[in-house]
Structures are given as C-alpha cells and as structure tokens.
Amino acid sequence: MTGPPPARPDTEHEGEGTGEGRARDDADVITQSLDEPELFAGLYDRHAPDIHRYAARRLGEGAADDITAETFLIAFRTRDRYDTAHRLARPWLYGIAANLLGKHRRTEVRALKALARTGHDPVAASWSDRSDDRLAVQAPLAGALAALSPGDRHVLLLVAWADLGYQEVADALRIPLGTVRSRLNRARRKVRASLNTDPAFTSALDPTLDASPATAGQELNPSWTK
C-alpha cells in the first residue's frame, strides 16, 4: 500500500472484551494501523477537514487539497515512528502540514501582499464565505501577516486559526515551549503595531483597546494580542 486509504464511515467505537464500546484515541488508531493499514482511514476522517480548512485559509482551496493529501500520505508512511505517548495526533499532523506550507511561503506572502494592496485575491476567497466587502476588511491584517517571518507566522496562525495550545504548537513545530512564547509575543506586537492606526482592527485583536461593538463580525482571535 503506497498511501492512506480513502475516507470511510466512522468506526471510532468498537466493542472489546466486556462488550462495551470504547472510543479509540489517535494513538490507538495509529498503533493498530501498523497491522491493519485500513484503520488509518479513521485518523483521516477525524482530522482531514481541519487540516484542509487551515491550509485553505493560508494558501487557498486548490493548494489545500494537495497539502491535505500529502500530509496524510506522509503521516501514513511514517506512522511507525509516531510517539504514542501523545494520544492526540493533531499537533503531529499540523506539524507535517506546516512543513509543507513552508515550501509555499513565497506564494503565501505574494498572496497576502496582493490582498493587502487591492483587497481582492483568489486566496482570500477561502478565508470567508461571506461577501466581497468582507474580504476587503481583511486587507490590513493580510499586510501585517505578510510582514512576519515564516516562523512567527506559523506560530501565530497555529494558535489563532488551528486553535492549538502553546505546548501543541511546540510539539507540532518541534521547538521549545519558550520559543513558541517568544515568537507569539513578537508576532502579536508586530501585528498590533501594523494595525494600530485602525481602532476597528486593534479592538478586534484586543477588546481592552476599544470597546466599540463595530468589531463584532471580525474574524480575528482576541487572544492574538493578550
């Protein structure tokens, strides 16, 4: 078998000796898939939508298909090296995806700069399924993200868009927890500085800066600047 099997109906719960069902966690699925490769489809079913959504927000729908497929292909081929002490595979999968996304950093930066400049870009269509003027609202944020270093951008977006905790980001990127904190703090400072001229954006990033209700619809995570 050269790649992960196709997605299949959910089979997370299977009876064991007592006859009672037990939810298999990711580590169980990966371990069991070494003898029964078709079980790896359960990991794909569980996490592929989130990986695809994250990749699409960064590179667009077309690239997200390839990133997601390659992420799970690599995961399948290297699953024998997975550390089963980590019962949830999300950080591992996001780490693989982050490495693949890193190969497209120039494309991502060009797209972010184009969005910042014009308010319209094909990648932006994957950030929101709302209206065109909703996409234009993202332009200042796009410029701020484009100005970040690749490492800082990875950390910031894994926290803000993938909703990973600090330790999960450290595990995903294989960097010390202290490095995650320093990169995140640096990224937050730069984003705040870039958006500081627009109260609507700074209040969306940090409600303590501006209590205006006008930012209620912003697709930004307040924790970015806390």
Side-chain angles (χ1 to χ4, degrees):
M1 186 172 186
T2 60
R8 62 177 188 170
D10 184 27
T11 56
E12 287 186 20
H13 296 80
E14 291 187 357
E16 298 199 334
T18 62
E20 296 181 357
R22 182 177 69 87
R24 295 182 301 176
D25 63 19
D26 293 342
D28 287 337
V29 172
I30 293 169
T31 298
Q32 293 169 19
S33 76
L34 295 175
D35 294 324
E36 301 176 79
E38 67 276 7
L39 295 181
F40 194 81
L43 198 74
Y44 180 91
D45 295 343
R46 194 176 296 174
H47 296 294
D50 289 338
I51 296 294
H52 186 279
R53 188 177 304 111
Y54 178 70
R57 295 181 79 175
R58 294 193 60 170
L59 289 177
E61 288 289 341
D65 292 342
D66 294 337
I67 293 293
T68 304
E70 194 169 355
T71 293
F72 283 90
L73 177 61
I74 292 171
F76 180 80
R77 289 175 172 173
T78 62
R79 70 194 190 283
D80 61 325
R81 301 199 296 270
Y82 182 74
D83 182 0
T84 56
H86 299 284
R87 307 307 296 178
L88 184 64
R90 266 169 41 93
W92 178 55
L93 294 170
Y94 274 107
I96 296 172
N99 285 335
L100 296 172
L101 287 164
K103 298 177 181 179
H104 298 270
R105 61 183 180 275
R106 291 182 180 177
T107 299
E108 180 179 33
V109 170
R110 282 198 302 268
L112 288 168
K113 288 181 177 179
L115 178 57
R117 184 175 63 253
T118 67
H120 297 278
D121 187 84
V123 171
S126 67
W127 291 13
S128 171
D129 57 4
R130 303 176 193 175
S131 61
D132 287 343
D133 59 346
R134 176 67 183 77
L135 301 179
V137 169
Q138 298 289 349
L141 175 59
L145 293 177
L148 297 177
S149 70
D152 290 356
R153 189 163 53 248
H154 272 323
V155 169
L156 180 66
L157 296 184
L158 283 171
V159 171
W161 286 355
D163 199 27
L164 295 187
Y166 290 7
Q167 186 59 58
E168 289 179 313
V169 174
D171 293 340
L173 300 180
R174 298 183 181 182
I175 58 178
L177 181 60
T179 301
V180 172
R181 294 183 183 279
S182 62
R183 288 184 182 180
L184 186 59
N185 288 336
R186 182 168 56 243
R188 285 169 169 166
R189 286 197 303 270
K190 290 182 178 179
V191 169
R192 290 183 68 181
S194 296
L195 305 182
N196 195 46
T197 56
D198 188 337
F201 280 99
T202 53
S203 60
L205 290 167
D206 188 346
T208 64
L209 297 177
D210 185 347
S212 171
T215 62
Q218 300 289 341
E219 190 179 283
L220 302 176
N221 189 331
S223 68
W224 285 19
T225 57
K226 289 182 179 178

